[in-house]
Amino acid sequence: MNTIHPGESLNPPPAVIVQLLERVVSEQWPSGPEHFASYFTRLGCTLCARLEPDEQASLGVTRGQFIVPGSAVENASWSALSDELFNLSFFAYAGAWKSSPADVNAGYDAIRAGIAAAFGPSPDERTDQGGNRSAVWFSHGTTIELYAHVTEAPVLQAGASHQERTARFQGLLEQRPDQPKY
């Protein structure tokens, strides 16, 4: 009898996500939308059209999507502030691909190990009471975040952000009068 272990047939293979994040760190974040398409091409991705403006458009934020060809990465999106790309985010191993918490955890473990091999150990790893996990890395002005959401609708979330531009975005959010103050 052939037994399939969790994570054996993950799409995309964890190495694809690790390689994408390595390319993000090694590439210069683009300024100016005229440079976005070539940036995504260098990442091995395809830039899609911008999304309709949302409530953050008044801050100078534009958003769009991208595709990771040949893989089941879902909801891959980008954000730019004043036409400077500052965030990439995507999901993998979602329920639509018949994943389970075991698949998400297997993917998380493999991706976490690959990122740690490339950038060193995470300075901040957490697991909550429900088994959801997270880790973060900082390298060359880029923050890499990895999440295993396993308690509801299992999915792996990964993202990368330009540290300085993200801090500027956060500052603008904090200045909004409608933002809750914690």
Side-chain angles (χ1 to χ4, degrees):
M1 180 174 187
N2 194 5
T3 304
I4 297 176
H5 299 284
E8 277 186 2
S9 61
L10 292 175
N11 182 10
V16 168
I17 294 174
V18 173
Q19 290 165 0
L20 173 59
L21 293 169
E22 288 175 327
R23 286 190 302 269
V24 169
V25 171
S26 70
E27 288 291 333
Q28 183 175 347
W29 288 80
S31 294
E34 67 275 10
H35 301 289
F36 288 10
S38 62
Y39 172 78
F40 281 97
T41 297
R42 290 190 307 275
L43 296 182
C45 300
T46 304
L47 179 65
C48 299
R50 290 183 180 206
L51 298 172
E52 291 294 318
D54 64 13
E55 69 279 354
Q56 293 179 346
S58 64
L59 297 174
V61 174
T62 54
R63 299 182 191 284
Q65 296 180 315
F66 66 96
I67 297 169
V68 182
S71 74
V73 166
E74 297 183 22
N75 298 323
S77 63
W78 56 266
S79 299
L81 177 63
S82 301
D83 291 331
E84 293 184 314
L85 191 68
F86 75 92
N87 181 271
L88 303 174
S89 178
F90 57 89
F91 296 86
Y93 318 138
W97 301 101
K98 298 181 176 59
S99 70
S100 68
D103 289 327
V104 171
N105 277 320
Y108 178 93
D109 288 339
I111 294 164
R112 183 192 152 284
I115 295 171
F119 303 110
S122 168
D124 186 6
E125 291 190 58
R126 299 172 189 217
T127 302
D128 72 14
Q129 292 177 338
N132 296 307
R133 301 159 66 192
S134 66
V136 65
W137 292 263
F138 307 98
S139 181
H140 297 90
T142 298
T143 301
I144 298 171
E145 296 176 274
L146 184 65
Y147 301 93
H149 305 288
V150 297
T151 54
E152 292 182 34
V155 67
L156 179 124
Q157 180 181 358
S161 59
H162 184 281
Q163 292 170 351
E164 182 181 304
R165 295 173 186 176
T166 299
R168 195 168 59 226
F169 170 69
Q170 293 296 329
L172 290 171
L173 281 178
E174 291 171 7
Q175 293 174 13
R176 291 180 72 161
D178 60 337
Q179 278 301 113
K181 305 294 184 223
Y182 297 99

mmCIF file of all heavy atoms in Angstrom, residues 3 9 15 85 179 181-182:
data_model
loop_
_atom_site.group_PDB
_atom_site.id
_atom_site.type_symbol
_atom_site.label_atom_id
_atom_site.label_comp_id
_atom_site.label_asym_id
_atom_site.label_seq_id
_atom_site.Cartn_x
_atom_site.Cartn_y
_atom_site.Cartn_z
ATOM 1 N N THR A 3 1.465 4.895 0.909
ATOM 2 C CA THR A 3 0.961 5.899 1.838
ATOM 3 C C THR A 3 1.456 7.276 1.413
ATOM 4 O O THR A 3 2.635 7.464 1.157
ATOM 5 C CB THR A 3 1.455 5.608 3.275
ATOM 6 O OG1 THR A 3 1.048 4.290 3.621
ATOM 7 C CG2 THR A 3 0.878 6.601 4.250
ATOM 8 N N SER A 9 2.545 16.265 -1.832
ATOM 9 C CA SER A 9 2.078 16.713 -3.138
ATOM 10 C C SER A 9 1.654 18.178 -3.123
ATOM 11 O O SER A 9 0.716 18.555 -3.807
ATOM 12 C CB SER A 9 0.916 15.828 -3.601
ATOM 13 O OG SER A 9 -0.145 15.933 -2.678
ATOM 14 N N ALA A 15 9.835 24.675 -2.279
ATOM 15 C CA ALA A 15 11.042 25.282 -2.854
ATOM 16 C C ALA A 15 10.699 26.439 -3.791
ATOM 17 O O ALA A 15 11.460 27.408 -3.888
ATOM 18 C CB ALA A 15 11.869 24.235 -3.594
ATOM 19 N N LEU A 85 6.536 50.366 -5.000
ATOM 20 C CA LEU A 85 6.104 49.061 -4.510
ATOM 21 C C LEU A 85 6.625 48.847 -3.097
ATOM 22 O O LEU A 85 7.801 49.100 -2.815
ATOM 23 C CB LEU A 85 6.646 47.964 -5.439
ATOM 24 C CG LEU A 85 6.072 46.572 -5.226
ATOM 25 C CD1 LEU A 85 4.601 46.528 -5.630
ATOM 26 C CD2 LEU A 85 6.858 45.565 -6.041
ATOM 27 N N GLN A 179 -8.591 56.015 12.303
ATOM 28 C CA GLN A 179 -7.839 54.836 12.718
ATOM 29 C C GLN A 179 -7.974 54.649 14.232
ATOM 30 O O GLN A 179 -7.791 55.595 15.001
ATOM 31 C CB GLN A 179 -6.354 54.963 12.376
ATOM 32 C CG GLN A 179 -6.019 54.624 10.958
ATOM 33 C CD GLN A 179 -6.412 53.227 10.591
ATOM 34 O OE1 GLN A 179 -7.284 53.028 9.784
ATOM 35 N NE2 GLN A 179 -5.791 52.242 11.163
ATOM 36 N N LYS A 181 -6.861 53.914 17.884
ATOM 37 C CA LYS A 181 -5.592 54.092 18.603
ATOM 38 C C LYS A 181 -5.516 53.007 19.679
ATOM 39 O O LYS A 181 -6.409 52.860 20.493
ATOM 40 C CB LYS A 181 -5.518 55.478 19.250
ATOM 41 C CG LYS A 181 -5.732 56.625 18.285
ATOM 42 C CD LYS A 181 -4.635 56.734 17.268
ATOM 43 C CE LYS A 181 -4.852 57.961 16.400
ATOM 44 N NZ LYS A 181 -4.638 57.748 15.016
ATOM 45 N N TYR A 182 -4.444 52.260 19.645
ATOM 46 C CA TYR A 182 -4.277 51.163 20.616
ATOM 47 C C TYR A 182 -3.336 51.557 21.708
ATOM 48 O O TYR A 182 -2.433 52.254 21.587
ATOM 49 C CB TYR A 182 -3.758 49.903 19.915
ATOM 50 C CG TYR A 182 -4.725 49.383 18.897
ATOM 51 C CD1 TYR A 182 -4.580 49.651 17.544
ATOM 52 C CD2 TYR A 182 -5.813 48.637 19.299
ATOM 53 C CE1 TYR A 182 -5.470 49.179 16.612
ATOM 54 C CE2 TYR A 182 -6.712 48.145 18.355
ATOM 55 C CZ TYR A 182 -6.535 48.421 17.021
ATOM 56 O OH TYR A 182 -7.418 47.943 16.096
#
